[in-house]
Amino acid sequence: MGLIGAGPWAEQAHAPMLARGPHTRLAGVWARRPEAAARLGAPVFERVEELFDACEAVAFCVPPAVQAELGIRAARAGKALLLEKPLADSLDAAERLAAAIAETGVASQMVLTLRYAARTREFLARCAEIEPFGGHAANISGALLGDHPFATPWRLERGALLDVGPHMVDLLDAALGPVTGVRAHGDPLRWTGLLLEHEGGAVSEASLCMAAPGDTPPSSVAVYGRRGSAVLAPDDGDALAVVAEEFARTVRRGGGHPLDAARGLRLQRIIAEAEAQLPAP
């Protein structure tokens, strides 16, 4: 595995995940700041093409616009892609990246972290049993405030919808059925509300905010149906270990994964439709 990016999330999550094995080995890092890449404990490459030559697959931990650009280059170099959400910074860029992956036939997988947790999978299995008709999700934090390590330029510019929105929309889409319509209101940099319509008639709401000071509750998802309800419980397992194991399996067998680039593109289309209804940040 090669890693592109050396920011806080790469240091906290991606580099340890890929380096510890047993399913992956971190072959090297490329980043805009070589001094940051050097902290990740792997060989540092000056040119991204040199990183491609040293690995079978590439993991991305960079701003969405950079992922879209370099992801296309990696796909055309024949490398499998482990992609962060959102897929890109715009729908056009996401479509170009997804098209390059489809054209080259390389394997892809999205790091929608919650989907790899055991309790999430139990929650979705429960949702399939209860004939769901409605649900709600909330992801509230202060990550855009002060000197928070994730108050990065693209998040400060676009807000919660592009960052945590894919997580919440993905879970509601998986739990209640494919999203067929979205209505959005609020302020992208303060509070954004979504009303989602699902195939089969279910509806759901999502509340997104990354500008709430003080202590905030953990993210939550609840679904209600004709045969009961399901609430996503916090997971204390190692979802990232599952990401690495399943990605290695995806690469080795050369097939797809349910959370592939096509899934990322589907989420990007929903997010883009919602963004178009909101005032500019």
Side-chain angles (χ1 to χ4, degrees):
M1 292 291 303
L3 175 59
I4 293 180
W9 189 235
E11 187 171 3
Q12 176 184 335
H14 282 66
M17 170 184 73
L18 299 174
R20 69 189 173 197
H23 305 286
T24 58
R25 180 175 63 83
L26 183 55
V29 182
W30 179 89
R32 181 176 56 84
R33 296 178 296 118
E35 68 277 10
R39 294 198 299 266
L40 302 185
V44 177
F45 291 86
E46 293 185 5
R47 298 174 58 249
V48 71
E49 291 80 9
E50 294 172 348
L51 177 66
F52 294 161
D53 290 340
C55 64
E56 298 173 81
V58 181
F60 290 83
C61 198
V62 289
V66 180
Q67 174 168 272
E69 174 193 351
L70 296 183
I72 291 173
R73 291 166 65 179
R76 290 175 177 165
K79 307 304 170 184
L81 309 181
L82 185 61
L83 299 158
E84 265 293 344
K85 57 78 206 161
L87 193 59
D89 64 327
S90 69
L91 181 55
D92 177 68
E95 288 174 339
R96 287 188 280 108
L97 175 53
I101 291 169
E103 289 166 6
T104 57
V106 298
S108 68
Q109 192 169 310
M110 300 291 296
V111 185
L112 291 158
T113 320
L114 295 172
R115 290 288 294 276
Y116 297 89
R119 288 183 180 173
T120 301
R121 292 178 173 182
E122 293 168 1
F123 164 77
L124 293 176
R126 169 66 177 160
C127 289
E129 298 171 347
I130 63 174
E131 299 181 17
F133 53 73
H136 61 76
N139 193 308
I140 314 300
S141 76
L144 297 185
L145 302 177
D147 59 354
H148 194 285
F150 293 109
T152 53
W154 73 269
R155 292 181 174 91
L156 291 170
E157 178 184 351
R158 301 290 287 275
L161 181 56
L162 193 65
D163 184 19
V164 298
H167 284 306
M168 298 296 99
V169 172
D170 173 63
L171 286 174
L172 291 170
D173 182 275
L176 290 156
V179 172
T180 57
V182 57
R183 283 176 277 171
H185 64 97
D187 182 332
L189 298 183
R190 296 176 67 187
W191 188 282
T192 299
L194 303 178
L195 174 61
L196 303 174
E197 299 173 355
H198 299 263
E199 187 177 282
V203 294
S204 64
E205 295 85 31
S207 298
L208 310 170
C209 177
M210 297 173 69
D215 294 333
T216 54
S219 63
S220 62
V221 184
V223 169
Y224 303 89
R226 296 174 182 83
R227 298 186 178 183
S229 60
V231 176
L232 179 58
D235 196 287
D236 56 2
D238 190 351
L240 290 174
V242 181
V243 172
E245 179 180 0
E246 293 192 1
F247 182 64
R249 188 182 309 138
T250 297
V251 174
R252 290 190 184 107
R253 73 185 180 197
H257 187 277
L259 302 178
D260 62 4
R263 179 66 175 176
L265 178 57
R266 171 174 169 72
L267 298 175
Q268 191 98 30
R269 286 173 173 154
I270 297 168
I271 298 299
E273 184 177 351
E275 277 194 315
Q277 301 173 34
L278 297 172

